[in-house]
Amino acid sequence: MSARVRSVVRWSSEHRLDVAWMFGLFVIALVVRLPNLMFVPRYTDEGAEVLGALDILRTGQMPLTGINGFYGPFYWYLIAALFHWFGVSLFIPRLTTTVFGALLVSVTYALGRVVWNRTTGVWAAGLALTSPALVIYTSHYGWSNSLTPFFAILTLLTLFSGLTRQMGWLVVLSGAFAALTLHTHPTGLIVLLAAGIAFLIRHDARRWLRRRSPYLAVVLFFICYMPMLVANVRLDSPIAQKFNDVSGILSPTLDPIEYVMRAFALAKVVLFVVAGGYEGADVLLLLTAAAAALLLVVGCIAVSRRESRFVAVVLLASLMLFPLFLREFPIRYFMPPIPLAFVLLGVVASEAFRVVADRHLATPRQWASVPLLVLMAALVIVPLLTIRAVYQNAFAQGRTNEEYFRLAREVAASEACGLDLYVEDSVRDFSSPQTIQTWYMLHVVDYVLTLEACQHTMLSPADVIECLRTRCRLGWLIVPQDDLLPAREHAFQLITVAMPPPVEKTRVPIGFYRVTATD
């Protein structure tokens, strides 16, 4: 057997082993993410994105943007296609994000594998597998933003693999994945800018810039992102202003003091997430976060003299760019760089494992590697307890979707589904906790009833009053109980009261009534 044939056989064997690892990790990640998928966390505004996809299916319209001018339409078309293939179901949006969340674990393994070695990939994937933030924020919520980490890491994987293995077609392909990253949420642009910085400071950047691949990648990016470009050229206000109006967190700054304060706040949250935290922080999490920070520094040093420093540069550049543009740091907006931190931790764990395995604890360095591996194992295993605690607390505090589902069952059992079922469409008024709760819960009711195939009509409070006054065919009514509108010419028979999970620590009951004219 020639040397070339042996090389091909060896590559094929290793390739099959990596595919097996990726598939196994994907299956395990699904097992971790599927429990309580429909119940925790409670629905908030994810329904608005999904109902937009349903409009595409029902009307055949072809929107150029997603729910707002700064979201691309990719997620809408994806969910619309799934509804077309499998039928409209409340289960599909969250299952979709679960699948992408599990795929994120697999591509994290692949990135660790090409950055350092297979052991690094396994450690990095293990951290992504059990991270409470990745399990709940990017694998349970039916947001377009839940797909951003997957496409961001896939972009970096194809770009880095193409650069290091001299495969120009992978570099070109990274342009398409970069566009999909930006489709899912505009904060993906920060990671893409960081990747551009990491590319430009490579030792072979000039040689690559003399090739066609980087330019074809840019062309492919613009082709895949063209709907957004066309839409925002046609819109009156710029995309940045739309992002500021809707999210309320975009606020660029060049003030050094403000920047340092933001950077500190971001670093604290990132370290808590990397250390396996979800909400809040106790003393143990503070210590673990400090240890994670130290290990990240060690990881950055370890890769600093190799091509693998690409990952460290992207991570550090991302963390430096975020405070320039954002003044707040909700976990959902900065999840894409988190797997990069896991890869760097995987490098440290891999080297420690190699030191221990080479000789049987014969030197102080080998002895010192043992507690490091124990800490890494704890970072993988302990978060499972955090996830379990999140579920238990949610059920204990009534912060699940159970009441919404129960209300939908009551509506169906009362045979109220139809044109005469009205849901009060509360005006978006966020001036008080009660109005916030009312707005969210009534739109969640609309979302759940719609995807449960219960036909109904949304009315504003003024329209409900007018309907009662003119004795329209108002057979059923779903309103916040405190807002029930008195009308002498109608009688209200209470069918059930639902107690949705609180928003802003406020709980407002929902009343489901049969309405009859008294004459």
Side-chain angles (χ1 to χ4, degrees):
M1 184 181 293
S2 67
R4 181 179 178 82
V5 173
R6 286 196 300 270
S7 176
V8 171
V9 171
R10 183 167 55 253
W11 181 89
S12 178
S13 176
E14 291 182 358
H15 178 69
R16 288 197 299 269
L17 182 57
D18 286 330
V19 171
W21 267 110
M22 293 175 68
F23 179 76
L25 288 165
F26 171 76
V27 173
I28 298 172
L30 279 181
V31 172
V32 173
R33 283 155 172 74
L34 283 174
N36 299 305
L37 173 62
M38 301 303 296
F39 294 103
V40 181
R42 59 174 172 74
Y43 287 124
T44 54
D45 57 353
E46 64 189 84
E49 295 190 62
V50 178
L51 292 180
L54 188 59
D55 286 340
I56 293 176
L57 180 65
R58 289 176 172 174
T59 66
Q61 294 180 349
M62 304 288 286
L64 295 176
T65 67
I67 186 172
N68 294 304
F70 56 85
Y71 276 91
F74 170 76
Y75 182 72
W76 271 10
Y77 285 110
L78 173 63
I79 298 299
L82 293 173
F83 281 160
H84 175 72
W85 292 330
F86 302 106
V88 177
S89 169
L90 197 62
F91 190 58
I92 285 179
R94 285 204 166 187
L95 181 60
T96 300
T97 57
T98 297
V99 170
F100 276 95
L103 287 172
L104 174 62
V105 176
S106 296
V107 296
T108 300
Y109 164 83
L111 184 61
R113 173 72 173 90
V114 299
V115 163
W116 204 258
N117 55 32
R118 184 173 290 117
T119 306
T120 298
V122 172
W123 278 107
L127 292 166
L129 176 72
T130 61
S131 169
L134 289 181
V135 168
I136 296 175
Y137 275 101
T138 65
S139 301
H140 276 210
Y141 278 113
W143 288 322
S144 171
N145 175 232
S146 297
L147 278 57
T148 309
F150 168 76
F151 284 113
I153 299 303
L154 190 58
T155 301
L156 298 176
L157 172 63
T158 52
L159 177 59
F160 180 78
S161 298
L163 294 175
T164 56
R165 300 185 179 186
Q166 300 300 309
M167 295 181 177
W169 66 273
L170 282 177
V171 175
V172 175
L173 188 60
S174 70
F177 294 139
L180 293 179
T181 301
L182 201 53
H183 265 273
T184 56
H185 201 270
T187 52
L189 178 62
I190 294 178
V191 180
L192 301 181
L193 290 175
I197 293 171
F199 168 75
L200 292 175
I201 66 174
R202 284 176 58 89
H203 67 281
D204 57 353
R206 289 186 178 181
R207 178 160 53 84
W208 273 102
L209 289 175
R210 289 193 292 267
R211 298 175 61 174
R212 292 181 299 176
S213 302
Y215 305 101
L216 291 176
V218 174
V219 170
L220 187 57
F221 169 84
F222 281 110
I223 291 174
C224 295
Y225 200 63
M226 188 60 66
M228 285 289 287
L229 298 177
V230 172
N232 282 284
V233 166
R234 288 165 45 189
L235 297 176
D236 295 333
S237 55
I239 190 171
Q241 184 61 43
K242 286 182 172 296
F243 183 76
N244 190 38
D245 291 343
V246 177
S247 69
I249 67 168
L250 179 64
S251 179
T253 183
L254 294 177
D255 181 1
I257 297 178
E258 175 69 17
Y259 176 82
V260 170
M261 293 177 62
R262 293 182 182 186
F264 179 78
L266 174 63
K268 183 172 65 174
V269 177
V270 167
L271 289 175
F272 285 163
V273 171
V274 172
Y278 179 67
E279 291 180 349
D282 52 22
V283 174
L284 180 60
L285 184 60
L286 289 171
L287 295 175
T288 309
L294 179 60
L295 294 180
L296 283 175
V297 172
V298 174
C300 289
I301 295 173
V303 302
S304 61
R305 295 183 179 275
R306 294 174 55 171
E307 283 195 339
S308 305
R309 66 177 177 271
F310 180 89
V311 172
V313 172
V314 175
L315 174 62
L316 295 175
S318 298
L319 297 181
M320 293 174 66
L321 289 172
F322 268 111
L324 280 177
F325 298 101
L326 305 182
R327 66 168 175 265
E328 299 176 8
F329 304 103
I331 292 178
R332 61 183 288 195
Y333 291 145
F334 64 84
M335 293 308 297
I338 297 299
L340 300 179
F342 291 154
V343 169
L344 292 176
L345 292 179
V347 169
V348 177
S350 173
E351 289 303 295
F353 184 80
R354 182 182 61 80
V355 168
V356 171
D358 281 347
R359 297 177 184 177
H360 301 290
L361 302 180
T363 66
R365 182 183 177 188
Q366 292 169 335
W367 279 105
S369 298
V370 173
L372 189 152
L373 291 174
V374 172
L375 174 62
M376 288 295 298
L379 289 177
V380 173
I381 298 172
V382 173
L384 291 173
L385 302 177
T386 301
I387 295 171
R388 181 185 177 190
V390 169
Y391 292 151
Q392 289 177 338
N393 291 338
F395 280 99
Q397 298 171 11
R399 293 178 178 270
T400 73
N401 295 318
E402 284 186 306
E403 281 292 274
Y404 290 120
F405 299 149
R406 187 183 67 79
L407 179 62
R409 291 193 298 269
E410 291 280 355
V411 170
S414 302
E415 299 181 351
C417 291
L419 293 177
D420 296 331
L421 173 65
Y422 290 79
V423 180
E424 180 191 343
D425 181 10
S426 179
V427 178
R428 183 166 183 161
D429 177 9
F430 287 177
S431 60
S432 70
Q434 181 167 347
T435 56
I436 293 175
Q437 169 76 9
T438 299
W439 187 87
Y440 273 109
M441 72 181 185
L442 290 176
H443 283 74
V444 171
V445 170
D446 175 37
Y447 172 59
V448 172
L449 291 179
T450 299
L451 294 195
E452 291 290 352
C454 181
Q455 192 176 8
H456 60 281
T457 302
M458 292 282 285
L459 287 180
S460 68
D463 289 335
V464 170
I465 295 175
E466 180 63 19
C467 184
L468 292 172
R469 187 183 64 81
T470 59
R471 299 192 178 189
C472 65
R473 295 179 63 233
L474 184 60
W476 307 85
L477 189 63
I478 298 177
V479 294
Q481 195 175 24
D482 292 343
D483 296 344
L484 183 59
L485 302 169
R488 288 176 293 179
E489 65 272 22
H490 285 81
F492 300 91
Q493 178 189 355
L494 180 63
I495 306 299
T496 189
V497 175
M499 296 294 295
V503 178
E504 298 292 330
K505 300 180 180 179
T506 299
R507 189 184 292 272
V508 178
I510 295 178
F512 171 41
Y513 298 86
R514 184 193 301 272
V515 185
T516 56
T518 58
D519 293 328

